[in-house]
Amino acid sequence: MAVIGLITKSQEPVPLQSISVDVAVQGFVADVVSELRYKNEEKATVEVTFVFPLDDEAAVYAFEGLIGGTRIEAQIREKKQAQQEYEDALSEGRGAFLLERETNTSDIFTCSLGNLPPDGEATLKLRYVQALAPEPDGAVRFVLPAVLNPRYTPQGSEGDTVTMGIPRVPRGKLPYTLSLCATLESSHGINRVESKCTLAPLRFTAEDRTAAQVSLAEGHQFDRDVELLIYYEDVHKPSAVLEAGKPGAAPGSLMGDPALLVTMYPSLRCASKPGLNATGEFIFLLDRSGSMGCSTDSSSSDAPPRIQSAKETLILLLKSLPLGCYFNIYGFGSTYNSFYLQSVEYTQQTMSESLQRVKDLQADLGGTEILQPLKAIYSQACREGHPCQLFVFTDGEVSNTEEVIAEVQHHGSSHRCFSFGIGEGASTALIKGIARAAGGSAEFITGKERMQAKALQSLKKALQPAATGISLRWDLPSGLEAVLVGSGPQVIFEGQRSLIYAQIRGQHQSSGASEGTVVLQYIFQDQTFTETMMFPLQAQESDRLPVHRLAAQALLQELEGTGEKDEVKRRQALETSLSSGVVCSQTAYVGLNTALGQPLQGPLIHRDVPLAYSMITINSQICHSGNRRSTTPLGIPIMSFNSGFGAPGSVFPSPPLDSFGDVDMCCLNDSFGDVDMCYGLGALGSGFAGPPLDTFDACSFYEEAPTPKKEEPPLLRLVSLQNAAGSWVLDSGLADLLGLSETEISSKAPGQVTPNVWATVLAILWLHSKASEQSDEWQLLEAKALRWLQGNAGPWLADCVKTGNAMLGSSVSPQTFGL
């Protein structure tokens, strides 16, 4: 198969040769050096551009290059000045580099190499620092993103996105490879490292296991995200690190003074059982755009579609809600709709109606217009005594990210937002941005990961009060004071990591104390808790200054996250970016090679570095695509195929018709995702009547043979049978799951126990004996069931547990039932 996308005349990919990455992870902070090596194998001078994703919380702070043996260290400039210097250098035939952030989002960067002469070699080195987040099981997660999905451009938006014309090549056919080596440090000890990618064995470099090294196996193709899950020995223990300021920087400035990083990952001592709080309004906002029909794992043929995973998660969430709360479900794409005009009370009837409607949902609403449904949700009046909790599920591909975040932040005082990025390439800027704007938390689901555990983790946070009233008290020697950088965290959830940055101002007297103390105080369920941390006043020296860079990034996010045109904040953001070297929306890095002064002969050729997509045979594939009509910068229409032709949202010029293979039918969708007309394509190479294929918005390819419906997982089957109040009914559905007949189950019921009590006990026993590994997904369900049993089981509960264990062959402790 020919390579699809922007390629050289000789059908060779653009000249990126290799990427090597060096990562230094210390606790919850990763310092990354990424090196990209290029070679121009063409006979003409080319301008090379590489568009790549970074995490929303990554702070790019240095950029340098080596071209023709000459080292070029880029300087940070105001963006317009950097772009002008770059253009001037190109027109004069000089070498140049330009690194800038895409407009309207903080997680996509464009790296332009400039003029690369024939047979010329160049190496770019990019440095950034990143705050890491923990998973529900406590693993600290580092991700090097490889997948870059095009951002959906809402109707009426101006301009094109930088991702529009990026070429894609089949998985395994990338012309470059990736090598990665990570050094790990933790004063509390390192337990192990896990990854979906193949790793070399973990090697400890300290006898007490506080330091280690790990690397990717050789020959890794950078066609999927690289994820490292790092397990520390005592991850919940707070820590504080003091970093010396930048030599030469003015005292009193952020970069000139020492910077303190306080890391909090508390395991809050809950005073009540989960799921018993009956107050709250729960709004579920589900992405139903075409790309949600894609697989959660583009490298696997048996991974479920994103929409299916989201639907199963919604079922679990609905079943886990407490009686007496309120809820509603919205779906969005090019348009949006809701189950109810306004939130309804959670009852058996409303739950049952909603579950049936959830099962019928499809990824059939076209594009990704998330702003309008958010405005509709916020237009509803808040319910007294029922704080609003918003759950957003999306694959996160929009171009108006900052506008969306600003809308959420505008209403941040009236609700909390919990967001979920589904699939590789989900926008970290969008997912993390809306969660941060409304005091919630963000989760990412990739590969074959089950979304349910992370969603239920967030629901537990929503059902329980967060730690509030957060304050810091400092004990420092005379002459020193601590000043917070930014506003600091307003709430802390169970299982959520918080980073607090402070600037230590003043002059430390050498004869004074050698340690400082910070005391964190917070209120949780009407109880006051304190955490005390000691830190040496002898600041750590670091030429990379990761703590300072992260502090600057946190401040920049706060200054630029309002969406308001505040000139004072804009000026402060620009000054912070220029002084710290951390790129923001107003700045860019530019590097110029003044040694090359030869004018260009002839036109300059532009080359884009390709990304990978996974090639799946169209034959017998169902491909639902949203409304993604767009054009290349040259005005050539291009198409997005969300399945069957590549990674979610891959964009490339449409190939010749005969490259599709056996295709029976093409259905053309309008902007609302409805099918307008169908054109028969026939077998390989047959004619096509009507307009050219690549002028349409989207296509769905299918064969007449129906796709076999997969059987529901046993856990989901049991969950679907539970009543809103928490009980189960003794019927054929439950009997089939237990592998017994209704008659057999009824005949062994002890004493005068009611069928519902007996069925509920058996269901809980089944959860503990058959689905214990998925306990994170059913803990809230069990809490409802146990609460129901307490009010309905009477004196028969102990007999039910004993008899049920014998009948099911289980050995669940009576203590599980509070006995």
Side-chain angles (χ1 to χ4, degrees):
M1 173 184 172
V3 175
I4 298 171
L6 298 178
I7 54 177
T8 65
K9 293 180 180 179
S10 59
Q11 297 292 301
E12 292 298 321
V14 288
L16 179 62
Q17 302 289 305
S18 65
I19 304 175
S20 61
V21 179
D22 176 58
V23 186
V25 178
Q26 183 176 14
F28 288 87
V29 176
D31 198 330
V32 185
V33 180
S34 184
E35 191 173 282
L36 297 86
R37 188 172 61 85
Y38 294 85
K39 182 177 181 180
N40 180 14
E41 297 174 344
E42 299 191 40
K43 295 182 179 179
T45 299
V46 298
E47 178 194 8
V48 174
T49 300
F50 186 37
V51 180
F52 59 99
L54 284 179
D55 190 275
D56 170 65
E57 294 183 323
V60 175
Y61 66 84
F63 184 46
E64 63 185 61
L66 185 68
I67 182 168
T70 302
R71 181 178 176 272
I72 304 172
E73 184 172 347
Q75 301 296 320
I76 194 168
R77 298 275 192 270
E78 194 165 1
K79 182 175 283 189
K80 289 183 179 179
Q81 180 184 349
Q83 291 170 337
Q84 186 61 56
E85 291 182 18
Y86 175 75
E87 295 292 340
D88 290 346
L90 259 62
S91 64
E92 296 169 8
R94 293 183 286 128
F97 305 100
L98 180 69
L99 176 78
E100 57 186 329
R101 208 177 76 182
E102 185 190 0
T103 305
N104 294 327
T105 188
S106 59
D107 64 343
I108 297 178
F109 285 79
T110 303
C111 173
S112 299
L113 179 60
N115 298 340
L116 192 57
D119 294 322
E121 293 190 5
T123 299
L124 296 182
K125 186 175 287 188
L126 176 71
R127 300 175 186 266
Y128 65 91
V129 64
Q130 176 183 345
L132 305 180
E135 294 289 280
D137 65 353
V140 176
R141 180 175 184 256
F142 168 77
V143 177
L144 188 70
V147 175
L148 177 56
N149 291 342
R151 298 295 191 255
Y152 174 82
T153 304
Q155 295 179 1
S157 299
E158 296 180 0
D160 297 327
T161 64
V162 71
T163 60
M164 185 173 294
I166 302 170
R168 295 323 205 253
V169 297
R171 216 179 253 283
K173 298 295 184 181
L174 280 174
Y176 50 89
T177 57
L178 168 72
S179 62
L180 180 145
C181 181
T183 58
L184 316 173
E185 287 186 27
S186 171
S187 58
H188 307 312
I190 300 164
N191 185 297
R192 67 188 188 279
V193 178
E194 296 179 359
S195 177
K196 299 173 186 175
C197 304
T198 304
L199 300 176
L202 180 68
R203 183 170 64 88
F204 289 99
T205 55
E207 291 185 5
D208 58 359
R209 299 168 71 97
T210 57
Q213 285 187 343
V214 69
S215 60
L216 282 175
E218 291 187 11
H220 178 83
Q221 275 273 327
F222 198 20
D223 52 8
R224 70 187 64 182
D225 291 354
V226 175
E227 178 184 73
L228 299 179
L229 297 176
I230 306 163
Y231 291 84
Y232 296 136
E233 291 292 350
D234 193 359
V235 71
H236 290 287
K237 191 171 183 179
S239 63
V241 176
L242 185 66
E243 182 180 85
K246 183 179 181 181
S253 68
L254 174 60
M255 300 305 293
D257 286 337
L260 181 71
L261 168 60
V262 178
T263 302
M264 290 293 303
Y265 181 33
S267 180
L268 298 177
R269 288 150 280 189
C270 300
S272 63
K273 293 183 179 180
L276 304 187
N277 185 356
T279 62
E281 180 182 10
F282 300 89
I283 307 295
F284 303 101
L285 181 55
L286 176 64
D287 190 343
R288 290 176 55 191
S289 64
S291 56
M292 287 290 289
C294 303
S295 168
T296 53
D297 185 355
S298 57
S299 65
S300 174
S301 60
D302 61 347
R306 298 174 184 177
I307 188 69
Q308 182 61 33
S309 183
K311 284 161 58 175
E312 291 182 5
T313 302
L314 258 182
I315 291 173
L316 272 171
L317 288 170
L318 279 173
K319 288 288 188 175
S320 302
L321 294 179
L323 282 174
C325 73
Y326 289 80
F327 77 100
N328 202 352
I329 298 173
Y330 285 74
F332 71 93
S334 297
T335 184
Y336 69 90
N337 53 44
S338 62
F339 282 16
Y340 306 101
L341 292 177
Q342 59 184 10
S343 296
V344 296
E345 187 177 354
Y346 181 74
T347 64
Q348 180 64 37
Q349 180 179 347
T350 57
M351 184 200 72
S352 298
E353 291 174 355
S354 300
L355 283 178
Q356 187 54 54
R357 295 182 68 176
V358 167
K359 292 178 181 179
D360 294 336
L361 294 178
Q362 300 296 330
D364 56 3
L365 290 185
T368 313
E369 302 269 3
I370 191 173
L371 186 59
Q372 293 309 312
L374 283 173
K375 289 182 176 181
I377 290 169
Y378 296 141
S379 69
Q380 300 276 350
C382 297
R383 291 182 174 273
E384 186 69 26
H386 290 273
C388 182
Q389 316 275 3
L390 176 62
F391 289 73
V392 180
F393 299 87
T394 179
D395 54 9
E397 301 172 22
V398 296
S399 65
N400 60 337
T401 299
E402 291 187 355
E403 190 178 1
V404 172
I405 294 173
E407 180 69 20
V408 175
Q409 187 168 32
H410 182 67
H411 300 274
S413 61
S414 63
H415 79 298
R416 287 189 291 187
C417 179
F418 300 88
S419 55
F420 303 86
I422 307 170
E424 293 179 329
S427 169
T428 61
L430 176 68
I431 304 304
K432 291 186 175 182
I434 60 177
R436 186 168 53 239
S441 60
E443 300 286 357
F444 292 87
I445 299 95
T446 59
K448 295 181 181 179
E449 265 184 319
R450 286 180 62 80
M451 191 187 308
Q452 288 80 348
K454 293 186 176 182
L456 267 296
Q457 174 100 349
S458 294
L459 182 58
K460 291 175 188 176
K461 297 173 184 176
L463 287 170
Q464 295 176 355
T468 57
I470 300 167
S471 63
L472 291 172
R473 187 175 72 252
W474 305 90
D475 183 9
L476 299 173
S478 176
L480 294 179
E481 66 169 339
V483 179
L484 275 183
V485 178
S487 59
Q490 305 303 307
V491 295
I492 298 177
F493 295 115
E494 169 77 21
Q496 182 181 22
R497 175 270 294 147
S498 295
L499 303 180
I500 301 170
Y501 304 98
Q503 187 177 337
I504 307 299
R505 293 178 175 173
Q507 189 66 40
H508 177 222
Q509 303 299 325
S510 58
S511 59
S514 60
E515 285 188 328
T517 303
V518 55
V519 179
L520 176 77
Q521 182 173 292
Y522 56 89
I523 300 171
F524 183 74
Q525 294 187 331
D526 299 325
Q527 297 182 55
T528 300
F529 298 94
T530 59
E531 301 275 2
T532 302
M533 287 147 284
M534 308 283 290
F535 57 92
L537 292 174
Q538 182 63 39
Q540 296 180 6
E541 300 286 342
S542 172
D543 56 346
R544 295 188 181 183
L545 298 170
V547 173
H548 284 77
R549 314 288 189 191
L550 282 176
Q553 173 77 342
L555 181 58
L556 287 169
Q557 285 179 333
E558 208 166 286
L559 293 171
E560 295 193 324
T562 61
E564 300 173 358
K565 303 300 181 182
D566 188 318
E567 186 59 32
V568 174
K569 290 183 177 180
R570 183 185 178 279
R571 186 165 54 251
Q572 186 182 355
L574 178 60
E575 292 171 357
T576 301
S577 178
L578 292 175
S579 63
S580 66
V582 176
V583 175
C584 73
S585 63
Q586 303 178 63
T587 56
Y589 269 100
V590 63
L592 307 176
N593 186 351
T594 56
L596 296 178
Q598 295 292 330
L600 289 179
Q601 302 297 321
L604 184 67
I605 301 172
H606 181 89
R607 294 286 179 259
D608 287 307
V609 177
L611 298 172
Y613 70 84
S614 64
M615 189 52 162
I616 306 172
T617 307
I618 281 290
N619 199 17
S620 75
Q621 283 285 327
I622 295 179
C623 171
H624 298 290
S625 176
N627 173 33
R628 294 180 184 270
R629 182 176 183 178
S630 53
T631 60
T632 65
L634 299 178
I636 304 170
I638 56 180
M639 295 188 64
S640 167
F641 291 84
N642 296 302
S643 168
F645 264 98
S650 297
V651 175
F652 50 87
S654 56
L657 202 57
D658 60 4
S659 67
F660 288 153
D662 295 334
V663 178
D664 293 318
M665 193 72 72
C666 177
C667 298
L668 307 173
N669 296 346
D670 66 12
S671 61
F672 294 97
D674 301 316
V675 176
D676 285 335
M677 60 191 75
C678 289
Y679 292 86
L681 299 183
L684 183 67
S686 63
F688 175 71
L693 186 62
D694 60 3
T695 65
F696 287 102
D697 291 333
C699 287
S700 296
F701 298 94
Y702 69 92
E703 288 196 335
E704 293 181 5
T707 302
K709 187 176 180 180
K710 291 186 178 180
E711 185 179 348
E712 277 189 338
L715 176 59
L716 193 61
R717 286 168 55 197
L718 182 69
V719 168
S720 298
L721 296 172
Q722 188 183 28
N723 291 324
S727 65
W728 273 266
V729 175
L730 182 52
D731 59 12
S732 60
L734 180 62
D736 288 343
L737 186 70
L738 298 177
L740 301 168
S741 68
E742 285 185 72
T743 303
E744 186 179 2
I745 295 174
S746 299
S747 65
K748 294 185 178 181
Q752 302 300 314
V753 67
T754 64
N756 280 19
V757 169
W758 179 224
T760 302
V761 171
L762 293 177
I764 295 174
L765 293 175
W766 186 94
L767 287 172
H768 281 272
S769 60
K770 301 296 184 182
S772 59
E773 292 183 356
Q774 295 166 259
S775 61
D776 285 343
E777 301 177 23
W778 51 256
Q779 282 178 351
L780 293 177
L781 300 168
E782 182 193 35
K784 286 174 64 174
L786 291 175
R787 189 181 189 188
W788 182 88
L789 282 174
Q790 288 171 6
N792 294 275
W796 304 105
L797 185 55
D799 286 343
C800 287
V801 174
K802 182 179 179 181
T803 307
N805 270 327
M807 188 173 70
L808 298 181
S810 56
S811 56
V812 180
S813 170
Q815 292 179 346
T816 299
F817 294 82
L819 299 173

